[in-house]
Amino acid sequence: MSYTGPADPAVDTAGDTAGDRAYEPAWGPDRALPRPGDRPSGAEVAVWLLRIPLSAAAAAERAGMLDDRERERAARFRDDTLRDRYVASHVGLRTLLGAYLGIAPAEVELIREKCGMPDCDKPHGRPAVAGEPRLSFSLSHAEDAALYAFAEAAVGADIEARNARRTGTVLTGLIRQLHPDERAAIEALPESLHEEAFLSCWVRKEAYLKGIGTGLPGGLRAHHVGLADHLAPPGSTTPPGWTLADVPAPPGYAAAVALRADGTPAVRPAVTRHGLGLAGTFGG
């Protein structure tokens, strides 16, 4: 799914190799891995995109960097493609976290924060790095794409693929799950834009619910996150204390990030976007 409107000044397109196609980011690696001094701060969100099929073999060779919980989960996949996607996306995550922290990927200790749901203090909230409260991250993957977001404050990210079956009554049913104002905004658009508008809202919704640490149980109808900027009606709002940004994604995908902005003006996140390739990273 490509945005054909004007370039967004809050998005750094230095990670693109498509020239005039600024909203179709490259799949492959476009720069070296980050260093500890590259850690984002303030309203900065560093976004990385991985094309899983090109990195699956390299990731499988380095699957030993995963911890016991990750390996156990990977082993539960009976479908080889789903297993490859899980392993590649998590090897990519550890590779990037290790680079930002200046340590070996296998040394990254992943934990779960407390749940963001009211009256629940169990550790199944946002994933985090033990002892690193100033480096937050979020991982999302859909089909061949994995998306990573890194920030100083709590961050959530989501990427979704378009689905040819998401039409008609199926699409109508999905739209009805959203906040009433989001439903109204979609229904006010031409019918030809309904699927695009729904998907743009869905990735923003998932990014926000990941950011607050609840996931989808946090409520699709309870929070208004709006549609993508080029589809949203004037005056569209976001949840208090949070700011959202649509992330340029490869054709056939939509993506967004949500960043906590407690105590600061709700400035749109300054998103920098890069491509990650594990084969090149590991010298393959």
Side-chain angles (χ1 to χ4, degrees):
M1 181 176 298
S2 300
Y3 172 44
T4 56
D8 186 339
V11 175
D12 178 359
T13 59
D16 292 340
T17 60
D20 58 345
R21 295 184 303 160
Y23 276 78
E24 295 184 9
W27 280 97
D30 56 27
R31 57 157 288 178
L33 288 175
R35 296 171 294 181
D38 296 325
R39 287 167 62 157
S41 61
E44 297 174 346
V45 180
V47 170
W48 293 76
L49 181 70
L50 173 70
R51 187 174 188 176
I52 293 175
L54 298 183
S55 292
E61 292 176 1
R62 277 81 180 180
M65 72 172 62
L66 303 181
D67 63 22
D68 291 342
R69 181 181 300 178
E70 291 168 313
R71 288 194 290 269
E72 179 182 351
R73 186 172 178 185
R76 291 203 298 265
F77 286 101
R78 296 186 178 183
D79 183 278
D80 291 343
T81 299
L82 296 180
R83 186 186 309 110
D84 289 346
R85 288 171 176 171
Y86 177 86
V87 170
S89 61
H90 281 254
V91 168
L93 173 64
R94 285 184 167 275
T95 298
L96 289 167
L97 283 172
Y100 277 118
L101 296 170
I103 62 177
E107 295 177 4
V108 176
E109 182 182 354
L110 298 176
I111 59 172
R112 283 283 202 178
E113 296 180 346
K114 290 183 180 180
C115 178
M117 295 288 287
D119 303 320
C120 180
D121 60 357
K122 296 181 179 179
H124 49 222
R126 283 192 307 266
V129 179
E132 291 290 343
R134 297 178 69 84
L135 179 62
S136 298
F137 69 89
S138 185
L139 160 64
S140 176
H141 57 85
E143 297 189 1
D144 288 345
L147 184 78
Y148 310 90
F150 301 89
E152 183 177 37
V155 66
D158 191 56
I159 186 168
E160 300 287 344
R162 297 191 67 171
N163 188 330
R165 293 175 293 181
R166 197 185 289 127
T167 57
T169 57
V170 172
L171 179 59
T172 299
L174 291 170
I175 292 172
R176 287 175 179 168
Q177 297 181 43
L178 301 175
H179 187 280
D181 291 345
E182 293 164 347
R183 297 200 303 267
I186 293 174
E187 291 166 358
L189 294 170
E191 187 174 353
S192 60
L193 293 176
H194 283 190
E195 198 269 346
E196 179 183 359
F198 166 77
L199 193 57
S200 77
C201 182
W202 186 269
V203 294
R204 291 165 69 94
K205 188 84 68 174
E206 281 223 50
Y208 170 70
L209 293 175
K210 287 180 180 180
I212 63 175
T214 67
L216 292 181
L220 294 172
R221 292 184 177 90
H223 308 279
H224 181 275
V225 299
L227 315 183
D229 290 339
H230 67 295
L231 296 170
S236 185
T237 60
T238 57
W242 286 80
T243 178
L244 288 92
D246 309 313
V247 175
Y253 293 86
V257 295
L259 181 69
R260 189 171 64 197
D262 292 343
T264 61
V267 176
R268 181 180 300 181
V271 178
T272 57
R273 186 181 59 244
H274 311 285
L276 174 67
L278 298 180
T281 298
F282 295 128

